[in-house]
Amino acid sequence: MEVSDALRTTVSTVDSPTIQRRGIDTTVTVLNGQTVLLGGLLRESGQDGKNGLPLVSDIPVVGNLFSQTSQTRERQELALMITPRIVDEAAISMKAKAVMQRIAELRLGKL
């Protein structure tokens, strides 16, 4: 499992995104039909901002009357759970063949 994010490049003057990749790689042994949680990826981010009237908002004490501050916080959680099923390929092939034959008969009007 992998999660990718496009971030602003900060190490060069080229205006192209930097791709941040996070992922997990694992091997597990489970029984048929048993659900397993492979892992989770968390990401938290935040941003603080301040807007205000130029020059006036920079004055100590009274500047706060002419400015506005903001905070944003974001949290993302991604969990991967799988439930494997053992499939008999021969049985599926026979069923698929029977379905296809039935469809062909219906198209030809041989009910």
Side-chain angles (χ1 to χ4, degrees), residues 12-14 23 25 30 33 36 42-43 45 50 53 59-60 67-71 74 78 83-84 88 92 101 109:
S12 73
T13 58
V14 177
D25 185 16
V30 295
V36 63
L42 299 176
R43 183 179 74 169
S45 60
K50 183 175 180 178
L53 195 61
I59 299 172
S67 64
Q68 174 183 349
T69 59
S70 63
Q71 281 187 335
E74 184 178 291
L78 174 64
T83 305
D88 181 4
I92 289 179
Q101 186 175 5

Side-chain angles (χ1 to χ4, degrees), residues 9 14 18 22 27 29 41 48 53 58 63-64 69 78 82 85 90 97 105 109-110:
T9 299
V14 177
T18 298
R22 299 173 296 131
T27 302
T29 302
L41 297 173
D48 297 332
L53 195 61
D58 295 330
N64 290 333
T69 59
L78 174 64
I82 62 167
R85 306 269 187 227
K97 186 176 180 180
E105 289 172 357
K110 297 180 183 178

Side-chain angles (χ1 to χ4, degrees), residues 6 13 19 29 32 34-35 37 40 49 51 55 58 69 76 80 84-85 88 90-91 111:
T13 58
I19 305 300
T29 302
N32 181 37
Q34 181 182 17
T35 301
L37 174 65
N51 296 323
L55 300 175
D58 295 330
T69 59
Q76 293 180 343
L80 179 63
R85 306 269 187 227
D88 181 4
L111 296 173

Side-chain angles (χ1 to χ4, degrees), residues 3-7 17-22 43 76:
V3 177
S4 300
D5 293 311
L7 304 174
T18 298
I19 305 300
Q20 178 188 46
R21 295 172 28 178
R22 299 173 296 131
R43 183 179 74 169
Q76 293 180 343

